[in-house]
Amino acid sequence: MTNLVQNLEQCWYTSPPWGQKIPPLLVSLLERVYIKSAKAFGYCTGVEWSEHGCKYEIFACNTNITVLGSELIGTGNLQPNTKGKPVFRLGELVEFRFHGDGPPIRIVQGIQLINDAWFYSVEWMSPSISEKGDEVFTSRDSIAQVTDYDLERVRL
């Protein structure tokens, strides 16, 4: 039975959540965008894959605004800066160095620029299964924000 649990856990960490494929990004990281609802321009500083689609983090009006892609109009212009590009892509399989007892391979579910450094969202904790085995419970706390130091590229 232990092997079945380990196999399920391995599949959980490497399969796209919610049974969907990650859609292509509507705007690039660091791209200048127009936010329809805020009627303001800003720059995309992050993206996170959610069950409702990709959520984009936009720095506009000296604050961060989180919106779905349908609220954005891309300009195609990238922010002129000296910030390096992210090391990993959304949806990329990575090895999580601090995986504890679980399998090390994870999928990048989000990327965000914080204080001029790129952070990546990976699931660090397995979901819980109900006593009857008919429900799976996940928590927002199961997602860790880590740096590229904490991750390694998976060589297939």
Side-chain angles (χ1 to χ4, degrees), residues 1 17 31 34 47 59-60 69 92 97-98 105 114 135 144 155:
M1 185 63 142
E31 182 176 347
Y34 179 73
V47 62
F59 184 74
E92 184 173 356
R97 290 183 195 210
F98 305 104
I105 306 298
I114 302 172
E135 288 185 74
R155 308 228 188 268

Side-chain angles (χ1 to χ4, degrees), residues 2-71:
T2 303
N3 286 340
L4 290 176
V5 171
Q6 288 173 342
N7 289 342
L8 176 63
E9 190 174 41
Q10 178 69 41
C11 290
W12 176 267
Y13 287 131
T14 60
S15 299
W18 315 290
Q20 302 172 6
K21 290 188 175 191
I22 297 178
L25 295 180
L26 298 176
V27 297
S28 298
L29 291 167
L30 301 178
E31 182 176 347
R32 188 165 193 245
V33 297
Y34 179 73
I35 309 165
K36 297 176 196 175
S37 57
K39 296 183 174 138
F41 282 94
Y43 287 95
C44 179
T45 58
V47 62
E48 186 174 43
W49 185 28
S50 77
E51 60 187 306
H52 305 295
C54 286
K55 294 186 298 185
Y56 296 86
E57 187 86 12
I58 309 300
F59 184 74
C61 307
N62 290 325
T63 189
N64 285 327
I65 302 170
T66 303
V67 296
L68 292 174
S70 60
E71 286 293 313

Side-chain angles (χ1 to χ4, degrees), residues 55-155:
K55 294 186 298 185
Y56 296 86
E57 187 86 12
I58 309 300
F59 184 74
C61 307
N62 290 325
T63 189
N64 285 327
I65 302 170
T66 303
V67 296
L68 292 174
S70 60
E71 286 293 313
L72 298 176
I73 298 173
T75 65
N77 297 327
L78 295 180
Q79 180 180 25
N81 63 14
T82 58
K83 297 173 188 74
K85 293 182 180 181
V87 175
F88 303 103
R89 302 181 324 276
L90 190 68
E92 184 173 356
L93 290 178
V94 293
E95 187 171 334
F96 186 33
R97 290 183 195 210
F98 305 104
H99 56 82
D101 294 333
I105 306 298
R106 302 290 195 272
I107 191 168
V108 175
Q109 295 184 25
I111 303 170
Q112 188 171 13
L113 183 65
I114 302 172
N115 293 333
D116 292 334
W118 292 107
F119 285 81
Y120 305 89
S121 300
V122 295
E123 208 158 7
W124 71 275
M125 185 171 64
S126 298
S128 301
I129 299 174
S130 69
E131 296 263 338
K132 295 179 187 176
D134 60 347
E135 288 185 74
V136 176
F137 302 101
T138 60
S139 165
R140 190 69 199 136
D141 295 335
S142 69
I143 302 294
Q145 293 276 341
V146 299
T147 66
D148 56 32
Y149 174 80
D150 304 314
L151 305 174
E152 289 183 20
R153 186 159 272 113
V154 171
R155 308 228 188 268

